[in-house]
Amino acid sequence: MKQIPFPPPTATGPVVMAYGGGVNTMAALIEATRRGVKFTAIVMADPGHEWPQTHWYRDNIANPWLIEHGQPTVTVVTRAAEAKFRPRAGLIYQGTLGEECLRIKALPSIAYGWKKCSQKYKAAPSNWWIERQPWAQEAWSRGERITRIIGYDADEPSRARPEILDAREASRFVPRYILLERGIDRDGCIAIIERAGLPVPHKSACMWCPSNQLAEWREVRDHHPDVYSYALGMEANAEIGSPDVVGLVRVMPNGRRQLRMLDEGAPVMEREGEVPCDCAL
């Protein structure tokens, strides 16, 4: 057990889970269920290019486990579904993250040091779906806030905040970090899943996320050549404005970050100890 920086909130409204699909997500679901939490909804926002292992695990492992333990199954939401109800937004809201990158000739925002992908393709579609649920509207009319369980663990307390920064969202939601409350780190998450008799899930993220480690890029190249070609095409299509950011690979010795350098035999360095994007749960 590590230091517990976040006590549970006192909110009394419905409880939802931000389902990322990885190790932390499954550990948080198991731990919450063990402690008597009853979810109103478990919501996964799919940006469109998740690892296929993530979808398989959700459908074949997570959902049957949830049904067995009296919890709702995972609701999948997307930016494309949201766009159908926002006709004036036009192309900017349509399609997947990869399609938007190709359209605007750019890379995912984390390649530039920003973290807008998760907000636009994860948080926004999830909030949009929840806002339209009668149980959410009824809770807000009573002055309650919805508790959102997020799977940050005790190895990453800096990612957690006692309140959501956006004022409007904070008036409707309160975050709960059930793993942090118990001081559960990454190894502890794996142990929770294994004790439940379940396989450990693959990391959840876009297959061509700029935060990929080299082993993950090689996995994409060797086992998903169509996705690897897609990523190379995204690089070639992007109109890069900074000489320090020229591709999807995280760090190169000379500052260059081109995915194609993996195939050219160039030396590649990784920056250790960094938290990737907010999608990786």
Side-chain angles (χ1 to χ4, degrees), residues 51 207 216-225 227-228:
W51 288 87
M207 296 181 73
E216 291 159 345
W217 276 122
R218 294 186 179 106
E219 182 180 351
V220 174
R221 181 189 62 190
D222 297 342
H223 300 287
H224 304 279
V227 177
Y228 191 71

Side-chain angles (χ1 to χ4, degrees), residues 127-190:
N127 289 345
W128 165 82
W129 182 84
I130 292 170
E131 286 169 357
R132 282 152 182 79
Q133 304 311 305
W135 49 263
Q137 296 169 4
E138 291 167 5
W140 291 327
S141 70
R142 295 191 298 266
E144 297 174 349
R145 289 197 293 173
I146 295 171
T147 298
R148 174 179 278 146
I149 292 182
I150 301 171
Y152 297 157
D153 64 43
D155 285 331
E156 47 187 4
S158 61
R159 299 178 76 186
R161 296 180 177 88
E163 289 286 344
I164 297 168
L165 293 180
D166 180 82
R168 180 171 182 271
E169 189 174 350
S171 69
R172 299 176 300 161
F173 296 93
V174 58
R176 182 176 182 184
Y177 309 99
I178 204 160
L179 300 174
L180 276 170
E181 292 169 17
R182 302 291 296 169
I184 298 170
D185 58 14
R186 183 75 167 187
D187 290 340
C189 289
I190 293 172

Side-chain angles (χ1 to χ4, degrees), residues 201-213:
H202 190 280
K203 170 188 170 183
S204 172
C206 290
M207 296 181 73
W208 34 253
C209 179
S211 289
N212 275 354
Q213 298 298 310

Side-chain angles (χ1 to χ4, degrees), residues 23 25-34 57 60-62 64-66 68-69 187-201:
V23 170
T25 293
M26 199 63 215
L29 283 173
I30 295 169
E31 180 68 11
T33 300
R34 187 184 70 81
Y57 194 99
N60 295 278
I61 304 297
W65 186 92
L66 289 165
E68 180 183 349
H69 290 81
D187 290 340
C189 289
I190 293 172
I192 286 171
I193 295 168
E194 291 177 340
R195 281 198 300 269
L198 302 177
V200 177

Side-chain angles (χ1 to χ4, degrees), residues 22-72:
V23 170
N24 287 32
T25 293
M26 199 63 215
L29 283 173
I30 295 169
E31 180 68 11
T33 300
R34 187 184 70 81
R35 293 164 61 183
V37 173
K38 175 61 178 176
F39 291 102
T40 304
I42 301 168
V43 186
M44 176 187 185
D46 187 350
H49 301 269
E50 288 271 3
W51 288 87
Q53 295 96 315
T54 299
H55 292 164
W56 182 91
Y57 194 99
R58 178 196 66 210
D59 296 339
N60 295 278
I61 304 297
N63 276 339
W65 186 92
L66 289 165
I67 292 170
E68 180 183 349
H69 290 81
Q71 299 283 22

